[in-house]
Amino acid sequence: MILYDYVLSASCYKVRLMAALLGKALTLHAVNFHPGREHKSAEMLALNPQGTLPVLTDGDTVLTDSADILRHLTVDQPEWHTEEDERWLAFASDLNNSLGLARLHDVIGYEAVIDTARAAGVMALRKLEAHLTEQRFDGLIFLTGKAPTIADIACFPNTALAPDGGVSLDPYPSIRLWMRAIRSLPGFIEMPGIHRLHELAHPA
Amino acid sequence: MNAAIDNHWYPVAMISGIDAPRETLLLGKKITLGCEEGTCWVKDASGNALPTVERFGHLWTSPGQPNRDLFTIPEADSPGRRLVDVGSVKVKCSPLRAVENFLDIAHFPFVHTDILGAEPHTEVDRYDVKIREEVDEVWATKVKFFQPQAAKSAEGGITTEYMYRVPAPTCSVLYKTCPPRPGEWDVITLFVQPLTDEWCEVWPWMALYDDDSTMSEMVSFQQLIFMQDRSILENQLPRKLPLDPGMEVPTQADMTSVAYRRWLKKIGYTYGAQLVAA
């Protein structure tokens, strides 16, 4: 499987993280999204006419939607799926269009109405915080249950990278605990802006 | 007007990225810039032309009257090097904090884990630092550090040797061991455009010997490294760089930073700095 990848893309990171958690090997093909705009090059447009990243190729299969790629990677792993996933995959798009946009604006100068993007991001975080708090009341740490699913992997990157776009995560303790649970999963990999979990102190 | 701040050259754009005239900020003031028929221009808010230099793939200007030419990097001109336009990243931090972070080695194992450093190899050995009065630049030499993956072209861990140079208050040049060509130095720069005193646009640029990596891979590697620093930089306090001792306690590993701060104070460069009354 080849992932056409941009190192700073939250959506490409979803794919890299999913593969790492599954222990599946990906061949990474670096695409110069910024400043090179290589995702709009003839070569990339031939692969994905929409000119977006990520793009995953697996034999003759070409997938260009990160949710589809997460489904594809876990197709033989039912433990990574629940019936609730679909609404969270849609929610992940909301995160991308709000917090993700604010981040691209602040980091690499994307055009955006920044106050609107941040405000929509805050509304999404409040929904996420409320849901995760209710999950905690039920003794559940992840979005749809006791174990992580593709829903968590889809929603995690743009949430964790919110501060890159000028949106603080300080007001959301349940989100922070959830992020910590994801960062502690075996096989977890970081990306710039999302740091590896340091070893917890073990009192002697 | 403050000549000690205005009379320097500042990077304001990557030349290959200028497709239409645009506005940006320099030292808190609006400027416009563009390129037509191969010539770049910069104007201040009143429409007055500002001086320009095109060098290292970037457009440079000054709101004052620079009393010397923009620095040069002779090593970068040697044939066979690949010149890498990395593009820019905006960071909400003092421009001086961005430069200081670039000069720091001790954070490598903790921020660039398994790439530029790794535990337990955290010790920074003694190195040499001096302000070279004849050229008015800060230099750190004989800096050695163990690195798991020093560059895109490195395979496996090596002890990398570094030299750091600060040729202008918001610019730094790093010379480091070149994995495929022992005896030569890779050149990695950090050109910082002070948008305001707590907000900057950072333009890394590189001149490397690397015949194997694609340009996209080299750009990705450098963006990966710099973005690992960004979240740290945006959380540093105090937000402005203290030039007087007392606010922060340096250690042996911070000798370059100490020299940088001392030099800034000596030349009166206080934009993005804080001076503490004794």
Side-chain angles (χ1 to χ4, degrees), chain A residues 1-5 12 15-16 19 24-28 44 47-48 52-66 68-74:
Chain A
M1 284 184 287
I2 300 171
L3 174 65
Y4 292 81
D5 182 47
C12 291
V15 180
R16 296 196 300 270
K24 290 191 174 176
L26 285 179
T27 302
L28 298 182
M44 287 307 299
L47 203 56
N48 174 16
T52 56
L53 293 177
V55 177
L56 184 90
T57 61
D58 186 2
D60 292 335
T61 308
V62 180
L63 297 170
T64 60
D65 174 81
S66 61
D68 286 343
I69 297 174
L70 295 181
R71 288 187 199 100
H72 180 75
L73 289 173
T74 52

PDB file of all heavy atoms in Angstrom, chain A residues 1-5 12 15-16 19 24-28 44 47-48 52-66 68-74:
ATOM      1  N   MET A   1       0.845  -1.203   0.000  1.00  0.00           N
ATOM      2  CA  MET A   1       0.000   0.000   0.000  1.00  0.00           C
ATOM      3  C   MET A   1       0.873   1.243   0.000  1.00  0.00           C
ATOM      4  O   MET A   1       1.829   1.340   0.772  1.00  0.00           O
ATOM      5  CB  MET A   1      -0.874   0.017   1.265  1.00  0.00           C
ATOM      6  CG  MET A   1      -2.045  -0.941   1.181  1.00  0.00           C
ATOM      7  SD  MET A   1      -3.095  -0.812   2.640  1.00  0.00           S
ATOM      8  CE  MET A   1      -2.074  -1.623   3.866  1.00  0.00           C
ATOM      9  N   ILE A   2       0.527   2.179  -0.858  1.00  0.00           N
ATOM     10  CA  ILE A   2       1.280   3.434  -0.925  1.00  0.00           C
ATOM     11  C   ILE A   2       0.378   4.576  -0.435  1.00  0.00           C
ATOM     12  O   ILE A   2      -0.750   4.735  -0.913  1.00  0.00           O
ATOM     13  CB  ILE A   2       1.746   3.743  -2.368  1.00  0.00           C
ATOM     14  CG1 ILE A   2       2.647   2.606  -2.885  1.00  0.00           C
ATOM     15  CG2 ILE A   2       2.459   5.078  -2.432  1.00  0.00           C
ATOM     16  CD1 ILE A   2       2.983   2.723  -4.361  1.00  0.00           C
ATOM     17  N   LEU A   3       0.885   5.327   0.518  1.00  0.00           N
ATOM     18  CA  LEU A   3       0.168   6.518   0.972  1.00  0.00           C
ATOM     19  C   LEU A   3       0.857   7.747   0.401  1.00  0.00           C
ATOM     20  O   LEU A   3       2.043   7.987   0.664  1.00  0.00           O
ATOM     21  CB  LEU A   3       0.146   6.596   2.502  1.00  0.00           C
ATOM     22  CG  LEU A   3      -0.450   7.887   3.081  1.00  0.00           C
ATOM     23  CD1 LEU A   3      -1.937   7.998   2.730  1.00  0.00           C
ATOM     24  CD2 LEU A   3      -0.248   7.962   4.591  1.00  0.00           C
ATOM     25  N   TYR A   4       0.114   8.501  -0.412  1.00  0.00           N
ATOM     26  CA  TYR A   4       0.602   9.799  -0.882  1.00  0.00           C
ATOM     27  C   TYR A   4       0.333  10.766   0.259  1.00  0.00           C
ATOM     28  O   TYR A   4      -0.821  11.035   0.609  1.00  0.00           O
ATOM     29  CB  TYR A   4      -0.089  10.189  -2.187  1.00  0.00           C
ATOM     30  CG  TYR A   4       0.338   9.276  -3.311  1.00  0.00           C
ATOM     31  CD1 TYR A   4      -0.248   8.025  -3.467  1.00  0.00           C
ATOM     32  CD2 TYR A   4       1.374   9.635  -4.165  1.00  0.00           C
ATOM     33  CE1 TYR A   4       0.174   7.163  -4.474  1.00  0.00           C
ATOM     34  CE2 TYR A   4       1.807   8.786  -5.174  1.00  0.00           C
ATOM     35  CZ  TYR A   4       1.201   7.544  -5.321  1.00  0.00           C
ATOM     36  OH  TYR A   4       1.634   6.686  -6.295  1.00  0.00           O
ATOM     37  N   ASP A   5       1.428  11.268   0.831  1.00  0.00           N
ATOM     38  CA  ASP A   5       1.403  11.768   2.194  1.00  0.00           C
ATOM     39  C   ASP A   5       1.956  13.181   2.274  1.00  0.00           C
ATOM     40  O   ASP A   5       2.909  13.522   1.574  1.00  0.00           O
ATOM     41  CB  ASP A   5       2.296  10.811   3.020  1.00  0.00           C
ATOM     42  CG  ASP A   5       2.361  11.156   4.486  1.00  0.00           C
ATOM     43  OD1 ASP A   5       1.292  11.404   5.062  1.00  0.00           O
ATOM     44  OD2 ASP A   5       3.474  11.164   5.048  1.00  0.00           O
ATOM     45  N   CYS A  12      -3.761  12.961   6.566  1.00  0.00           N
ATOM     46  CA  CYS A  12      -2.756  11.938   6.245  1.00  0.00           C
ATOM     47  C   CYS A  12      -2.303  11.238   7.531  1.00  0.00           C
ATOM     48  O   CYS A  12      -2.061  10.029   7.535  1.00  0.00           O
ATOM     49  CB  CYS A  12      -1.552  12.566   5.544  1.00  0.00           C
ATOM     50  SG  CYS A  12      -1.922  13.172   3.885  1.00  0.00           S
ATOM     51  N   VAL A  15      -4.300   8.267   8.639  1.00  0.00           N
ATOM     52  CA  VAL A  15      -3.963   7.029   7.937  1.00  0.00           C
ATOM     53  C   VAL A  15      -2.669   6.428   8.490  1.00  0.00           C
ATOM     54  O   VAL A  15      -2.592   5.223   8.758  1.00  0.00           O
ATOM     55  CB  VAL A  15      -3.835   7.297   6.416  1.00  0.00           C
ATOM     56  CG1 VAL A  15      -3.478   6.016   5.679  1.00  0.00           C
ATOM     57  CG2 VAL A  15      -5.133   7.900   5.880  1.00  0.00           C
ATOM     58  N   ARG A  16      -1.666   7.280   8.693  1.00  0.00           N
ATOM     59  CA  ARG A  16      -0.400   6.770   9.234  1.00  0.00           C
ATOM     60  C   ARG A  16      -0.613   6.166  10.614  1.00  0.00           C
ATOM     61  O   ARG A  16      -0.063   5.127  10.962  1.00  0.00           O
ATOM     62  CB  ARG A  16       0.636   7.914   9.332  1.00  0.00           C
ATOM     63  CG  ARG A  16       1.037   8.525   8.005  1.00  0.00           C
ATOM     64  CD  ARG A  16       2.319   9.361   8.126  1.00  0.00           C
ATOM     65  NE  ARG A  16       2.243  10.472   9.064  1.00  0.00           N
ATOM     66  CZ  ARG A  16       1.854  11.713   8.757  1.00  0.00           C
ATOM     67  NH1 ARG A  16       1.480  12.002   7.518  1.00  0.00           N
ATOM     68  NH2 ARG A  16       1.844  12.661   9.666  1.00  0.00           N
ATOM     69  N   ALA A  19      -2.590   2.792  10.470  1.00  0.00           N
ATOM     70  CA  ALA A  19      -1.714   1.698  10.011  1.00  0.00           C
ATOM     71  C   ALA A  19      -0.734   1.298  11.115  1.00  0.00           C
ATOM     72  O   ALA A  19      -0.475   0.109  11.322  1.00  0.00           O
ATOM     73  CB  ALA A  19      -0.962   2.138   8.750  1.00  0.00           C
ATOM     74  N   LYS A  24       0.352  -2.416  10.296  1.00  0.00           N
ATOM     75  CA  LYS A  24       0.409  -2.608   8.839  1.00  0.00           C
ATOM     76  C   LYS A  24       1.425  -1.650   8.229  1.00  0.00           C
ATOM     77  O   LYS A  24       1.473  -0.474   8.592  1.00  0.00           O
ATOM     78  CB  LYS A  24      -0.968  -2.339   8.210  1.00  0.00           C
ATOM     79  CG  LYS A  24      -1.987  -3.416   8.551  1.00  0.00           C
ATOM     80  CD  LYS A  24      -3.250  -3.297   7.710  1.00  0.00           C
ATOM     81  CE  LYS A  24      -4.157  -4.490   8.010  1.00  0.00           C
ATOM     82  NZ  LYS A  24      -5.441  -4.423   7.332  1.00  0.00           N
ATOM     83  N   ALA A  25       2.203  -2.157   7.286  1.00  0.00           N
ATOM     84  CA  ALA A  25       3.243  -1.332   6.662  1.00  0.00           C
ATOM     85  C   ALA A  25       2.650  -0.479   5.544  1.00  0.00           C
ATOM     86  O   ALA A  25       1.830  -0.941   4.759  1.00  0.00           O
ATOM     87  CB  ALA A  25       4.335  -2.231   6.091  1.00  0.00           C
ATOM     88  N   LEU A  26       3.059   0.776   5.524  1.00  0.00           N
ATOM     89  CA  LEU A  26       2.675   1.703   4.452  1.00  0.00           C
ATOM     90  C   LEU A  26       3.946   2.186   3.785  1.00  0.00           C
ATOM     91  O   LEU A  26       4.927   2.464   4.471  1.00  0.00           O
ATOM     92  CB  LEU A  26       1.981   2.945   5.024  1.00  0.00           C
ATOM     93  CG  LEU A  26       0.558   2.877   5.530  1.00  0.00           C
ATOM     94  CD1 LEU A  26       0.170   4.259   6.054  1.00  0.00           C
ATOM     95  CD2 LEU A  26      -0.388   2.434   4.435  1.00  0.00           C
ATOM     96  N   THR A  27       3.927   2.299   2.471  1.00  0.00           N
ATOM     97  CA  THR A  27       5.026   2.980   1.797  1.00  0.00           C
ATOM     98  C   THR A  27       4.605   4.447   1.657  1.00  0.00           C
ATOM     99  O   THR A  27       3.547   4.737   1.092  1.00  0.00           O
ATOM    100  CB  THR A  27       5.272   2.365   0.403  1.00  0.00           C
ATOM    101  OG1 THR A  27       5.557   0.977   0.597  1.00  0.00           O
ATOM    102  CG2 THR A  27       6.436   3.034  -0.292  1.00  0.00           C
ATOM    103  N   LEU A  28       5.412   5.334   2.212  1.00  0.00           N
ATOM    104  CA  LEU A  28       5.041   6.752   2.166  1.00  0.00           C
ATOM    105  C   LEU A  28       5.656   7.425   0.945  1.00  0.00           C
ATOM    106  O   LEU A  28       6.847   7.266   0.673  1.00  0.00           O
ATOM    107  CB  LEU A  28       5.520   7.468   3.432  1.00  0.00           C
ATOM    108  CG  LEU A  28       4.934   6.977   4.756  1.00  0.00           C
ATOM    109  CD1 LEU A  28       5.468   7.823   5.915  1.00  0.00           C
ATOM    110  CD2 LEU A  28       3.411   7.011   4.738  1.00  0.00           C
ATOM    111  N   MET A  44      -0.437  13.932  -9.665  1.00  0.00           N
ATOM    112  CA  MET A  44      -1.378  13.694  -8.565  1.00  0.00           C
ATOM    113  C   MET A  44      -2.834  13.796  -9.043  1.00  0.00           C
ATOM    114  O   MET A  44      -3.697  13.055  -8.579  1.00  0.00           O
ATOM    115  CB  MET A  44      -1.119  14.667  -7.406  1.00  0.00           C
ATOM    116  CG  MET A  44       0.140  14.387  -6.602  1.00  0.00           C
ATOM    117  SD  MET A  44       0.260  12.673  -5.974  1.00  0.00           S
ATOM    118  CE  MET A  44      -1.184  12.569  -4.929  1.00  0.00           C
ATOM    119  N   LEU A  47      -4.095  10.699 -10.472  1.00  0.00           N
ATOM    120  CA  LEU A  47      -4.419   9.722  -9.434  1.00  0.00           C
ATOM    121  C   LEU A  47      -5.714  10.106  -8.713  1.00  0.00           C
ATOM    122  O   LEU A  47      -6.544   9.264  -8.393  1.00  0.00           O
ATOM    123  CB  LEU A  47      -3.245   9.688  -8.436  1.00  0.00           C
ATOM    124  CG  LEU A  47      -3.015   8.462  -7.581  1.00  0.00           C
ATOM    125  CD1 LEU A  47      -2.876   7.219  -8.442  1.00  0.00           C
ATOM    126  CD2 LEU A  47      -1.751   8.674  -6.743  1.00  0.00           C
ATOM    127  N   ASN A  48      -5.854  11.402  -8.422  1.00  0.00           N
ATOM    128  CA  ASN A  48      -7.019  11.895  -7.698  1.00  0.00           C
ATOM    129  C   ASN A  48      -7.458  13.222  -8.299  1.00  0.00           C
ATOM    130  O   ASN A  48      -6.895  14.269  -7.967  1.00  0.00           O
ATOM    131  CB  ASN A  48      -6.666  12.077  -6.209  1.00  0.00           C
ATOM    132  CG  ASN A  48      -7.804  12.724  -5.440  1.00  0.00           C
ATOM    133  OD1 ASN A  48      -8.941  12.773  -5.914  1.00  0.00           O
ATOM    134  ND2 ASN A  48      -7.491  13.233  -4.255  1.00  0.00           N
ATOM    135  N   THR A  52      -6.836  16.287  -3.731  1.00  0.00           N
ATOM    136  CA  THR A  52      -6.728  16.343  -2.265  1.00  0.00           C
ATOM    137  C   THR A  52      -5.816  15.221  -1.778  1.00  0.00           C
ATOM    138  O   THR A  52      -5.534  14.268  -2.485  1.00  0.00           O
ATOM    139  CB  THR A  52      -8.115  16.154  -1.609  1.00  0.00           C
ATOM    140  OG1 THR A  52      -8.679  14.914  -2.082  1.00  0.00           O
ATOM    141  CG2 THR A  52      -9.049  17.303  -1.945  1.00  0.00           C
ATOM    142  N   LEU A  53      -5.391  15.366  -0.536  1.00  0.00           N
ATOM    143  CA  LEU A  53      -4.643  14.326   0.165  1.00  0.00           C
ATOM    144  C   LEU A  53      -5.453  13.937   1.396  1.00  0.00           C
ATOM    145  O   LEU A  53      -6.213  14.765   1.894  1.00  0.00           O
ATOM    146  CB  LEU A  53      -3.273  14.859   0.601  1.00  0.00           C
ATOM    147  CG  LEU A  53      -2.272  15.185  -0.524  1.00  0.00           C
ATOM    148  CD1 LEU A  53      -1.003  15.773   0.082  1.00  0.00           C
ATOM    149  CD2 LEU A  53      -1.945  13.940  -1.333  1.00  0.00           C
ATOM    150  N   PRO A  54      -5.305  12.732   1.895  1.00  0.00           N
ATOM    151  CA  PRO A  54      -4.425  11.656   1.445  1.00  0.00           C
ATOM    152  C   PRO A  54      -4.987  10.908   0.248  1.00  0.00           C
ATOM    153  O   PRO A  54      -6.180  10.985  -0.033  1.00  0.00           O
ATOM    154  CB  PRO A  54      -4.397  10.728   2.664  1.00  0.00           C
ATOM    155  CG  PRO A  54      -5.755  10.919   3.293  1.00  0.00           C
ATOM    156  CD  PRO A  54      -6.092  12.363   3.080  1.00  0.00           C
ATOM    157  N   VAL A  55      -4.087  10.175  -0.432  1.00  0.00           N
ATOM    158  CA  VAL A  55      -4.486   9.203  -1.443  1.00  0.00           C
ATOM    159  C   VAL A  55      -3.796   7.898  -1.063  1.00  0.00           C
ATOM    160  O   VAL A  55      -2.597   7.890  -0.775  1.00  0.00           O
ATOM    161  CB  VAL A  55      -4.034   9.632  -2.855  1.00  0.00           C
ATOM    162  CG1 VAL A  55      -4.407   8.560  -3.879  1.00  0.00           C
ATOM    163  CG2 VAL A  55      -4.639  10.979  -3.240  1.00  0.00           C
ATOM    164  N   LEU A  56      -4.586   6.814  -1.030  1.00  0.00           N
ATOM    165  CA  LEU A  56      -4.003   5.503  -0.740  1.00  0.00           C
ATOM    166  C   LEU A  56      -4.220   4.606  -1.954  1.00  0.00           C
ATOM    167  O   LEU A  56      -5.330   4.513  -2.465  1.00  0.00           O
ATOM    168  CB  LEU A  56      -4.654   4.870   0.489  1.00  0.00           C
ATOM    169  CG  LEU A  56      -4.022   3.529   0.897  1.00  0.00           C
ATOM    170  CD1 LEU A  56      -2.876   3.767   1.885  1.00  0.00           C
ATOM    171  CD2 LEU A  56      -5.040   2.588   1.518  1.00  0.00           C
ATOM    172  N   THR A  57      -3.143   3.960  -2.389  1.00  0.00           N
ATOM    173  CA  THR A  57      -3.304   2.956  -3.445  1.00  0.00           C
ATOM    174  C   THR A  57      -2.961   1.595  -2.864  1.00  0.00           C
ATOM    175  O   THR A  57      -2.012   1.459  -2.096  1.00  0.00           O
ATOM    176  CB  THR A  57      -2.399   3.230  -4.669  1.00  0.00           C
ATOM    177  OG1 THR A  57      -1.037   3.189  -4.251  1.00  0.00           O
ATOM    178  CG2 THR A  57      -2.698   4.578  -5.283  1.00  0.00           C
ATOM    179  N   ASP A  58      -3.806   0.621  -3.188  1.00  0.00           N
ATOM    180  CA  ASP A  58      -3.580  -0.758  -2.739  1.00  0.00           C
ATOM    181  C   ASP A  58      -3.860  -1.629  -3.952  1.00  0.00           C
ATOM    182  O   ASP A  58      -5.019  -1.894  -4.276  1.00  0.00           O
ATOM    183  CB  ASP A  58      -4.542  -1.072  -1.577  1.00  0.00           C
ATOM    184  CG  ASP A  58      -4.264  -2.443  -0.971  1.00  0.00           C
ATOM    185  OD1 ASP A  58      -3.309  -3.112  -1.429  1.00  0.00           O
ATOM    186  OD2 ASP A  58      -4.993  -2.839  -0.046  1.00  0.00           O
ATOM    187  N   GLY A  59      -2.809  -2.011  -4.647  1.00  0.00           N
ATOM    188  CA  GLY A  59      -3.006  -2.693  -5.932  1.00  0.00           C
ATOM    189  C   GLY A  59      -3.702  -1.742  -6.888  1.00  0.00           C
ATOM    190  O   GLY A  59      -3.243  -0.620  -7.095  1.00  0.00           O
ATOM    191  N   ASP A  60      -4.846  -2.171  -7.434  1.00  0.00           N
ATOM    192  CA  ASP A  60      -5.580  -1.324  -8.380  1.00  0.00           C
ATOM    193  C   ASP A  60      -6.550  -0.372  -7.676  1.00  0.00           C
ATOM    194  O   ASP A  60      -7.164   0.477  -8.311  1.00  0.00           O
ATOM    195  CB  ASP A  60      -6.380  -2.194  -9.356  1.00  0.00           C
ATOM    196  CG  ASP A  60      -5.453  -2.975 -10.280  1.00  0.00           C
ATOM    197  OD1 ASP A  60      -4.312  -2.504 -10.483  1.00  0.00           O
ATOM    198  OD2 ASP A  60      -5.864  -4.040 -10.770  1.00  0.00           O
ATOM    199  N   THR A  61      -6.714  -0.551  -6.380  1.00  0.00           N
ATOM    200  CA  THR A  61      -7.654   0.290  -5.640  1.00  0.00           C
ATOM    201  C   THR A  61      -7.026   1.642  -5.339  1.00  0.00           C
ATOM    202  O   THR A  61      -5.896   1.707  -4.860  1.00  0.00           O
ATOM    203  CB  THR A  61      -8.041  -0.393  -4.319  1.00  0.00           C
ATOM    204  OG1 THR A  61      -8.480  -1.714  -4.608  1.00  0.00           O
ATOM    205  CG2 THR A  61      -9.116   0.379  -3.578  1.00  0.00           C
ATOM    206  N   VAL A  62      -7.763   2.715  -5.618  1.00  0.00           N
ATOM    207  CA  VAL A  62      -7.307   4.063  -5.268  1.00  0.00           C
ATOM    208  C   VAL A  62      -8.362   4.687  -4.371  1.00  0.00           C
ATOM    209  O   VAL A  62      -9.534   4.796  -4.761  1.00  0.00           O
ATOM    210  CB  VAL A  62      -7.113   4.940  -6.521  1.00  0.00           C
ATOM    211  CG1 VAL A  62      -6.646   6.340  -6.127  1.00  0.00           C
ATOM    212  CG2 VAL A  62      -6.119   4.300  -7.479  1.00  0.00           C
ATOM    213  N   LEU A  63      -7.970   5.072  -3.169  1.00  0.00           N
ATOM    214  CA  LEU A  63      -8.920   5.685  -2.229  1.00  0.00           C
ATOM    215  C   LEU A  63      -8.466   7.101  -1.918  1.00  0.00           C
ATOM    216  O   LEU A  63      -7.279   7.353  -1.698  1.00  0.00           O
ATOM    217  CB  LEU A  63      -8.988   4.860  -0.940  1.00  0.00           C
ATOM    218  CG  LEU A  63      -9.515   3.430  -1.099  1.00  0.00           C
ATOM    219  CD1 LEU A  63      -9.298   2.642   0.176  1.00  0.00           C
ATOM    220  CD2 LEU A  63     -10.992   3.454  -1.477  1.00  0.00           C
ATOM    221  N   THR A  64      -9.438   8.038  -1.898  1.00  0.00           N
ATOM    222  CA  THR A  64      -9.069   9.448  -1.737  1.00  0.00           C
ATOM    223  C   THR A  64      -9.796  10.120  -0.577  1.00  0.00           C
ATOM    224  O   THR A  64      -9.671  11.321  -0.394  1.00  0.00           O
ATOM    225  CB  THR A  64      -9.396  10.237  -3.023  1.00  0.00           C
ATOM    226  OG1 THR A  64     -10.800  10.126  -3.260  1.00  0.00           O
ATOM    227  CG2 THR A  64      -8.627   9.686  -4.208  1.00  0.00           C
ATOM    228  N   ASP A  65     -10.538   9.335   0.179  1.00  0.00           N
ATOM    229  CA  ASP A  65     -11.274   9.915   1.303  1.00  0.00           C
ATOM    230  C   ASP A  65     -10.740   9.254   2.573  1.00  0.00           C
ATOM    231  O   ASP A  65     -10.642   8.030   2.641  1.00  0.00           O
ATOM    232  CB  ASP A  65     -12.770   9.611   1.122  1.00  0.00           C
ATOM    233  CG  ASP A  65     -13.587  10.066   2.321  1.00  0.00           C
ATOM    234  OD1 ASP A  65     -13.890  11.256   2.389  1.00  0.00           O
ATOM    235  OD2 ASP A  65     -13.858   9.219   3.196  1.00  0.00           O
ATOM    236  N   SER A  66     -10.381  10.066   3.576  1.00  0.00           N
ATOM    237  CA  SER A  66      -9.686   9.474   4.721  1.00  0.00           C
ATOM    238  C   SER A  66     -10.575   8.479   5.465  1.00  0.00           C
ATOM    239  O   SER A  66     -10.094   7.462   5.963  1.00  0.00           O
ATOM    240  CB  SER A  66      -9.148  10.566   5.651  1.00  0.00           C
ATOM    241  OG  SER A  66     -10.188  11.354   6.157  1.00  0.00           O
ATOM    242  N   ASP A  68     -12.858   6.536   4.092  1.00  0.00           N
ATOM    243  CA  ASP A  68     -12.809   5.311   3.275  1.00  0.00           C
ATOM    244  C   ASP A  68     -11.507   4.553   3.511  1.00  0.00           C
ATOM    245  O   ASP A  68     -11.486   3.323   3.553  1.00  0.00           O
ATOM    246  CB  ASP A  68     -12.903   5.649   1.775  1.00  0.00           C
ATOM    247  CG  ASP A  68     -14.314   6.062   1.379  1.00  0.00           C
ATOM    248  OD1 ASP A  68     -15.243   5.788   2.153  1.00  0.00           O
ATOM    249  OD2 ASP A  68     -14.456   6.662   0.297  1.00  0.00           O
ATOM    250  N   ILE A  69     -10.430   5.309   3.657  1.00  0.00           N
ATOM    251  CA  ILE A  69      -9.127   4.653   3.857  1.00  0.00           C
ATOM    252  C   ILE A  69      -9.100   3.953   5.226  1.00  0.00           C
ATOM    253  O   ILE A  69      -8.612   2.825   5.342  1.00  0.00           O
ATOM    254  CB  ILE A  69      -7.973   5.676   3.724  1.00  0.00           C
ATOM    255  CG1 ILE A  69      -7.953   6.259   2.293  1.00  0.00           C
ATOM    256  CG2 ILE A  69      -6.635   5.007   4.032  1.00  0.00           C
ATOM    257  CD1 ILE A  69      -6.953   7.379   2.087  1.00  0.00           C
ATOM    258  N   LEU A  70      -9.668   4.605   6.238  1.00  0.00           N
ATOM    259  CA  LEU A  70      -9.716   3.957   7.564  1.00  0.00           C
ATOM    260  C   LEU A  70     -10.546   2.676   7.498  1.00  0.00           C
ATOM    261  O   LEU A  70     -10.181   1.650   8.084  1.00  0.00           O
ATOM    262  CB  LEU A  70     -10.306   4.906   8.614  1.00  0.00           C
ATOM    263  CG  LEU A  70      -9.498   6.174   8.933  1.00  0.00           C
ATOM    264  CD1 LEU A  70     -10.205   6.990  10.019  1.00  0.00           C
ATOM    265  CD2 LEU A  70      -8.081   5.837   9.368  1.00  0.00           C
ATOM    266  N   ARG A  71     -11.674   2.729   6.775  1.00  0.00           N
ATOM    267  CA  ARG A  71     -12.511   1.523   6.623  1.00  0.00           C
ATOM    268  C   ARG A  71     -11.730   0.432   5.893  1.00  0.00           C
ATOM    269  O   ARG A  71     -11.777  -0.733   6.259  1.00  0.00           O
ATOM    270  CB  ARG A  71     -13.786   1.853   5.832  1.00  0.00           C
ATOM    271  CG  ARG A  71     -14.792   2.692   6.597  1.00  0.00           C
ATOM    272  CD  ARG A  71     -16.099   2.804   5.781  1.00  0.00           C
ATOM    273  NE  ARG A  71     -16.891   3.928   6.258  1.00  0.00           N
ATOM    274  CZ  ARG A  71     -16.944   5.123   5.665  1.00  0.00           C
ATOM    275  NH1 ARG A  71     -16.261   5.344   4.555  1.00  0.00           N
ATOM    276  NH2 ARG A  71     -17.685   6.086   6.184  1.00  0.00           N
ATOM    277  N   HIS A  72     -11.005   0.848   4.848  1.00  0.00           N
ATOM    278  CA  HIS A  72     -10.250  -0.116   4.045  1.00  0.00           C
ATOM    279  C   HIS A  72      -9.162  -0.805   4.884  1.00  0.00           C
ATOM    280  O   HIS A  72      -8.988  -2.021   4.823  1.00  0.00           O
ATOM    281  CB  HIS A  72      -9.625   0.608   2.851  1.00  0.00           C
ATOM    282  CG  HIS A  72      -8.821  -0.270   1.947  1.00  0.00           C
ATOM    283  ND1 HIS A  72      -9.402  -1.157   1.068  1.00  0.00           N
ATOM    284  CD2 HIS A  72      -7.473  -0.430   1.798  1.00  0.00           C
ATOM    285  CE1 HIS A  72      -8.448  -1.812   0.412  1.00  0.00           C
ATOM    286  NE2 HIS A  72      -7.274  -1.389   0.838  1.00  0.00           N
ATOM    287  N   LEU A  73      -8.451  -0.014   5.683  1.00  0.00           N
ATOM    288  CA  LEU A  73      -7.352  -0.580   6.477  1.00  0.00           C
ATOM    289  C   LEU A  73      -7.863  -1.584   7.512  1.00  0.00           C
ATOM    290  O   LEU A  73      -7.139  -2.484   7.917  1.00  0.00           O
ATOM    291  CB  LEU A  73      -6.573   0.544   7.190  1.00  0.00           C
ATOM    292  CG  LEU A  73      -5.714   1.455   6.314  1.00  0.00           C
ATOM    293  CD1 LEU A  73      -5.163   2.619   7.146  1.00  0.00           C
ATOM    294  CD2 LEU A  73      -4.548   0.670   5.703  1.00  0.00           C
ATOM    295  N   THR A  74      -9.102  -1.380   7.964  1.00  0.00           N
ATOM    296  CA  THR A  74      -9.628  -2.203   9.064  1.00  0.00           C
ATOM    297  C   THR A  74     -10.692  -3.184   8.572  1.00  0.00           C
ATOM    298  O   THR A  74     -11.452  -3.722   9.379  1.00  0.00           O
ATOM    299  CB  THR A  74     -10.262  -1.298  10.142  1.00  0.00           C
ATOM    300  OG1 THR A  74     -11.204  -0.423   9.505  1.00  0.00           O
ATOM    301  CG2 THR A  74      -9.218  -0.479  10.865  1.00  0.00           C
TER     302      THR A  74
END
